[in-house]
Amino acid sequence: MAEGSGWKWRKTSKRQRAGKNSQQIQGERIEYHVHNHTGLSMEDAIDLYARLSRADAQRYTEAAFTKIDQRVDEFLVNYFERQSSVDPDGLSSLEDPFMQRSLRDAQIEFATSGSEDLGQVLVDLLVQLSNRERSSLSAIALRDAIQIVPKLKQEHLNTLSVIVALRCTIYNAWNSFHEMYGSLSETVAPLANEYSDGGLGYRHMQGLGLGWFGMSEGEVSAMFLARYPGLFTKGINFGDIPTDIANKVRIIPALRDERKVQLAITSQGSVDAHVEEGNFTDEQGRRISAIIRTNLMSELEVKEEFERRVPAMRSLLHAWRHTSNMHEFDLTSTGFAIGHANLQAKSKAPVPLNVYIPQ
């Protein structure tokens, strides 16, 4: 399944009716996917799955029912479009009662709220759920997430997403600090203006079963220095690299000073992976780790560079340990599911959900 990036909610002001303009409104590709996987036109599919929530909506006043009815259609349009663009095969899961119930619950939550932010996260949770085995841990977590996410504010959603992106994801593929800052600008910066800053929001999330207070990861600068030392070394002299290591690992001009050199391995995770694969002995792994940690920038230098290269993160970096609990809040499977879905909706999820929760 292709991983998406931030996407725009499509506001619909009237019921989507079949007619000669139907495919122009929905798009031929989306109409094809819906028909191919459900046997229905886009319009008929919206009408059919709107019935899932209509019985619940009948309990409301006539004025409220009108709003709910319109919002249900709006939610379905966005869901079908998103599902068709990300994972068309997932549309077949709508024949499953488990998926139908999840869709009904998501429709009602959006219909009673009308929040586009909530709608986006619910849609992405459904898209993720559509290709999961119903008895898997990830399906259970996603199902719980659909029921819990309406109880969260946007600051809670962004907090979960920042924790997923900064603390819980290891970026071994970063080969330069330019790639690192480009990635952070795509994933974290769009969320950095609204997050839980204080204990009450974290206790609320803990009470909902999204996480708990664990061990502190320290400052972001210290965490990144430990994980990606090769991106922050100022380089070493060629003669400082032992011959046996030079024969094992590619040597490149130092990323921060071309007058010096460094090993091409930039992260501790890459060193560990090479040791596990048998490419390095344990002893070689320890020596390589020591080499890539030589002549590092200071924590203060890293922090100042972060603020300069990704200005949107400045307040978040200050709040990380001083006024928030992001540095010590560990996530449950449901917390991962919600944080990942909000990343998909608002910015860009760096890796698939099954990296965090087994599928």
Side-chain angles (χ1 to χ4, degrees):
M1 183 176 68
E3 290 299 312
S5 58
W7 58 283
K8 298 296 185 182
W9 184 266
R10 186 154 79 83
K11 189 75 175 174
T12 59
S13 58
K14 61 182 179 180
R15 292 274 292 168
Q16 300 294 306
R17 293 301 181 193
K20 64 180 181 179
N21 293 324
S22 177
Q23 293 204 359
Q24 293 179 359
I25 294 173
Q26 307 303 340
E28 292 182 5
R29 183 172 61 86
I30 294 171
E31 183 79 22
Y32 166 77
H33 285 316
V34 172
H35 177 75
N36 189 47
H37 291 281
T38 68
L40 302 168
S41 69
M42 177 77 164
E43 184 57 32
D44 289 340
I46 290 174
D47 284 339
L48 174 63
Y49 291 105
R51 296 177 197 170
L52 294 172
S53 57
R54 195 158 285 137
D56 292 319
Q58 293 286 354
R59 302 171 187 171
Y60 293 83
T61 64
E62 183 175 351
F65 175 81
T66 300
K67 285 185 178 181
I68 289 173
D69 197 37
Q70 190 276 327
R71 288 172 179 171
V72 164
D73 286 357
E74 182 176 316
F75 184 85
L76 287 169
V77 167
N78 281 277
Y79 166 66
F80 281 124
E81 290 183 351
R82 182 70 169 156
Q83 183 78 64
S84 297
S85 64
V86 175
D87 183 19
D89 292 341
L91 288 163
S92 301
S93 68
L94 290 173
E95 298 176 2
D96 190 325
F98 181 86
M99 188 67 182
Q100 287 192 13
R101 181 180 177 184
S102 300
L103 176 58
R104 183 206 67 182
D105 291 349
Q107 289 173 202
I108 285 295
E109 292 296 348
F110 172 73
T112 53
S113 164
S115 166
E116 295 178 13
D117 289 330
L118 173 62
Q120 283 185 296
V121 177
L122 288 169
V123 162
D124 275 323
L125 288 169
L126 285 170
V127 171
Q128 291 288 346
L129 183 60
S130 69
N131 69 348
R132 298 302 198 274
E133 289 292 333
R134 301 305 176 236
S135 60
S136 67
L137 177 61
S138 58
I140 294 169
L142 287 160
R143 172 72 185 143
D144 285 346
I146 289 170
Q147 297 173 316
I148 291 173
V149 74
K151 301 174 184 178
L152 300 172
K153 298 172 65 176
Q154 190 61 47
E155 67 184 54
H156 302 135
L157 299 175
N158 287 359
T159 297
L160 294 172
S161 295
V162 169
I163 293 172
V164 168
L166 282 186
R167 283 186 54 205
C168 303
T169 305
I170 304 298
Y171 301 89
N172 289 335
W174 285 342
N175 292 314
S176 72
F177 56 88
H178 299 294
E179 289 183 17
M180 177 185 69
Y181 288 123
S183 176
L184 293 175
S185 295
E186 286 185 329
T187 56
V188 179
L191 309 169
N193 63 339
E194 189 176 4
Y195 49 85
S196 291
D197 190 7
L200 183 59
Y202 294 88
R203 291 194 293 274
H204 176 68
M205 290 186 284
Q206 184 179 35
L208 291 172
L210 303 180
W212 70 96
F213 294 93
M215 293 185 63
S216 173
E217 291 273 6
E219 300 286 359
V220 173
S221 53
M223 184 172 66
F224 271 55
L225 276 168
R227 291 182 179 182
Y228 316 108
L231 299 180
F232 299 104
T233 179
K234 299 176 183 178
I236 58 178
N237 296 318
F238 185 87
D240 294 332
I241 303 175
T243 303
D244 64 322
I245 299 299
N247 292 334
K248 277 278 188 181
V249 183
R250 187 163 61 94
I251 299 173
I252 60 174
L255 298 175
R256 295 178 178 277
D257 185 352
E258 292 188 351
R259 296 170 299 177
K260 297 182 179 294
V261 298
Q262 68 176 82
L263 299 183
I265 295 177
T266 58
S267 71
Q268 182 59 46
S270 294
V271 176
D272 296 339
H274 279 295
V275 171
E276 288 180 13
E277 294 167 4
N279 300 324
F280 305 149
T281 65
D282 290 343
E283 174 61 22
Q284 287 173 330
R286 285 191 290 271
R287 291 164 65 202
I288 291 169
S289 294
I291 292 170
I292 64 176
R293 294 177 187 282
T294 302
N295 198 21
L296 295 181
M297 298 168 63
S298 68
E299 286 188 33
L300 179 59
E301 287 175 319
V302 173
K303 181 177 181 293
E304 290 175 346
E305 184 174 90
F306 263 89
E307 294 177 348
R308 186 171 65 253
R309 297 294 295 267
V310 192
M313 290 181 59
R314 184 175 290 111
S315 64
L316 185 148
L317 292 171
H318 174 74
W320 180 263
R321 192 174 182 186
H322 300 282
T323 60
S324 83
N325 298 100
M326 284 182 279
H327 65 102
E328 61 181 350
F329 196 69
D330 295 329
L331 303 185
T332 64
S333 56
T334 305
F336 274 118
I338 294 174
H340 187 271
N342 188 60
L343 272 174
Q344 287 284 82
K346 300 300 187 300
S347 57
K348 182 178 181 180
V351 293
L353 180 62
N354 56 21
V355 170
Y356 312 104
I357 313 174
Q359 190 164 341

